[in-house]
Amino acid sequence: MKNVLLTGMKSFYLFLVEQRSKLPAEKNDKIIFLLSFPSTSRWVLSELYKKYGSRLVVCYTENSRELAANYQKKGCLIYGIDSFRELLSSIPLMKGASTILCDNYFAFLGGTMFESSTKVIQIWHAGGAVKTFGLEANYAKNSTKKDQDRYQQVYDRLTHYVVASDQMTTIFKKSYHVTNAEFLPFGYLPADRYFDEAWLKQAKQKFQERFGNKKSLLYVPTYRENENENPIDFSRLAAVLGDEWQLFAKAHPHDPALQQKFEKHPAVITDFKGLTLQEMLPSIDCLITDYSSVPFEYTLANKEGKLLFFCYDLEEYQKTVGIQDGFFDALPEALAVTLDELLEKAANMQAVDLDRFDQTWNQYNKGNAMKQLMNWMEENEA
């Protein structure tokens, strides 16, 4: 009964959005950015603002309020789209704009009736994918036909995708059942920074000033909705690595309980002293993660770095979410399923050949993705 009620409410929500979007709207010169991943979209927004100034409109989810507020101070319009009232207020602007950029899935798009000339561009929030998503995720496959149809309505609104590889083109086509959209092989926008020598030098200098010259290991697990007890043992990891190493850890922003656990451990540094994760990566000698998208950036940020995947719940995760076909088959030496395996691999710290990984996932990353996108937007502006 609860699921039926929830489905009905979602359908009514989209109906109201659709009715609002059917009303006439004047064309405008705004560039609309749908924001839900501040950590990955921060740099992209700053580059867009440099070019478009107050033409930029930020429609944000609640977790992105602080970043959006910065652009309000600069003179940009902002709308909190978790508020239905503000969402409805923003729809005429969206409908009248020629370009809309999305960093994620936004449910309201499924009910929005755009002009045929409107370009709705999915820039995404990762350069590659370890886990399945969209209609390929197991939780979506197990959802009702009505829910799946509603997801597809959103996917069908997307007219363009910015991708870093042919592999991601294939994954989007499969995950979103893409038929008519166009793929723009420009690269993953935030990855441009890793080709900027001045930015890299500054990031490394900041890291050295704050944390010294010890070898550095960073543990960055992905978010799990049903988190079992994470078996990572920093005491044993520190003992295996020795005094020449320092350990950093960062939980997903949506997992404060795990972050608190990390913060309580005396062997772990959780305060990055003002550095973003992206600024940390060039100085990290070994990255340990699982199903996160961080590795796709790490292999660009630090060509000499070591990469390990600690997937203690691999079998369960494969059942509930899903892993991209053959992902770990290409990196068998980097995968640890048990803590003992992880400690053994950390102790030996052998380099993993990441050339094939980069060729697969960072195919189009050349440092000019943002420039290519903005040139394309200018050429195709209605």
Side-chain angles (χ1 to χ4, degrees):
M1 183 64 186
K2 183 179 179 181
N3 288 338
V4 173
L5 181 61
L6 186 60
T7 298
M9 290 173 63
K10 289 178 179 177
S11 297
F12 185 59
Y13 167 89
L14 290 182
F15 170 77
L16 293 177
V17 170
E18 182 177 343
Q19 295 308 303
R20 183 69 177 93
S21 68
K22 284 181 177 178
L23 297 176
E26 292 185 9
K27 280 195 171 294
N28 60 67
D29 66 347
K30 301 298 186 183
I31 304 297
I32 312 293
F33 195 100
L34 304 185
L35 170 68
S36 71
F37 271 81
S39 59
T40 57
S41 292
R42 184 181 301 274
W43 179 83
V44 177
L45 278 169
S46 69
E47 294 299 302
L48 288 170
Y49 181 77
K50 287 177 188 176
K51 183 174 179 67
Y52 297 107
S54 60
R55 288 177 59 190
L56 180 64
V57 177
V58 182
C59 300
Y60 65 94
T61 53
E62 186 59 32
N63 66 305
S64 308
R65 175 187 290 273
E66 184 178 349
L67 179 56
N70 291 338
Y71 286 89
Q72 185 178 43
K73 293 174 184 175
K74 296 172 189 257
C76 296
L77 293 172
I78 68 170
Y79 294 89
I81 54 178
D82 285 342
S83 160
F84 193 58
R85 180 181 59 81
E86 286 195 52
L87 171 62
L88 292 182
S89 297
S90 71
I91 286 177
L93 265 182
M94 292 190 205
K95 188 174 178 181
S98 64
T99 305
I100 298 170
L101 300 166
C102 320
D103 71 1
N104 199 1
Y105 169 98
F106 293 89
F108 76 87
L109 290 176
T112 310
M113 312 300 289
F114 293 109
E115 302 296 333
S116 58
S117 60
T118 303
K119 297 163 189 66
V120 185
I121 307 170
Q122 179 61 264
I123 64 171
W124 206 231
H125 48 270
V130 180
K131 55 191 174 187
T132 54
F133 59 88
L135 294 169
E136 284 298 295
N138 288 329
Y139 54 77
K141 290 179 179 179
N142 295 328
S143 63
T144 66
K145 176 66 165 56
K146 201 159 190 174
D147 282 339
Q148 291 176 3
D149 289 344
R150 192 171 60 251
Y151 300 152
Q152 192 64 58
Q153 279 182 265
V154 177
Y155 307 149
D156 289 344
R157 294 293 186 269
L158 302 173
T159 63
H160 296 79
Y161 293 77
V162 177
V163 292
S165 65
D166 293 340
Q167 183 77 355
M168 275 307 287
T169 296
T170 299
I171 288 172
F172 272 123
K173 285 182 176 179
K174 189 176 180 182
S175 302
Y176 280 7
H177 293 184
V178 180
T179 54
N180 298 318
E182 182 181 346
F183 288 84
L184 306 174
F186 299 156
Y188 178 53
L189 303 179
D192 282 359
R193 290 168 294 188
Y194 305 123
F195 294 85
D196 183 338
E197 291 300 326
W199 183 89
L200 281 172
K201 182 178 179 180
Q202 185 180 51
K204 290 177 181 178
Q205 184 176 342
K206 286 180 181 178
F207 183 92
Q208 186 179 38
E209 289 171 354
R210 291 160 174 77
F211 302 111
N213 294 311
K214 277 190 173 185
K215 290 182 180 180
S216 301
L217 180 147
L218 171 63
Y219 179 48
V220 188
T222 195
Y223 174 68
R224 293 164 171 80
E225 286 195 11
N226 300 307
E227 173 68 87
N228 295 321
E229 187 67 23
N230 188 312
I232 191 76
D233 189 327
F234 290 114
S235 296
R236 291 181 64 187
L237 189 57
V240 162
L241 293 174
D243 292 338
E244 63 186 76
W245 285 81
Q246 55 186 341
L247 307 184
F248 296 86
K250 181 177 178 62
H252 191 280
H254 295 163
D255 197 347
L258 185 60
Q259 182 67 20
Q260 288 175 9
K261 176 183 175 180
F262 290 168
E263 290 171 357
K264 290 177 182 177
H265 202 290
V268 181
I269 301 169
T270 57
D271 181 1
F272 292 176
K273 298 183 180 179
L275 295 185
T276 64
L277 178 60
Q278 287 72 29
E279 289 174 313
M280 296 283 289
L281 292 181
S283 300
I284 296 300
D285 297 287
C286 179
L287 175 72
I288 300 177
T289 184
D290 40 37
Y291 318 109
S292 166
S293 62
V294 175
F296 306 106
E297 294 188 57
Y298 178 63
T299 57
L300 292 173
N302 192 339
K303 296 291 186 183
E304 305 301 319
K306 309 297 190 299
L307 177 60
L308 294 173
F309 294 89
F310 181 37
C311 302
Y312 57 88
D313 57 350
L314 182 59
E315 187 175 340
E316 179 187 353
Y317 203 88
Q318 180 70 279
K319 290 177 182 177
T320 56
V321 179
I323 305 296
Q324 296 295 338
D325 290 342
F327 183 87
F328 289 118
D329 294 344
L331 294 163
E333 70 276 33
L335 176 62
V337 177
T338 67
L339 179 61
D340 287 340
E341 285 180 334
L342 177 67
L343 294 173
E344 182 182 351
K345 291 177 184 292
N348 295 323
M349 202 62 76
Q350 296 178 356
V352 177
D353 182 4
L354 295 175
D355 285 345
R356 187 169 61 170
F357 184 89
D358 267 341
Q359 289 167 11
T360 299
W361 297 102
N362 290 317
Q363 180 182 1
Y364 298 119
N365 281 325
K366 308 296 181 185
N368 61 349
M370 194 73 222
K371 182 179 180 181
Q372 288 188 83
L373 175 61
M374 289 194 292
N375 287 344
W376 182 91
M377 288 166 59
E378 191 171 340
E379 291 169 4
N380 289 273
E381 195 166 356

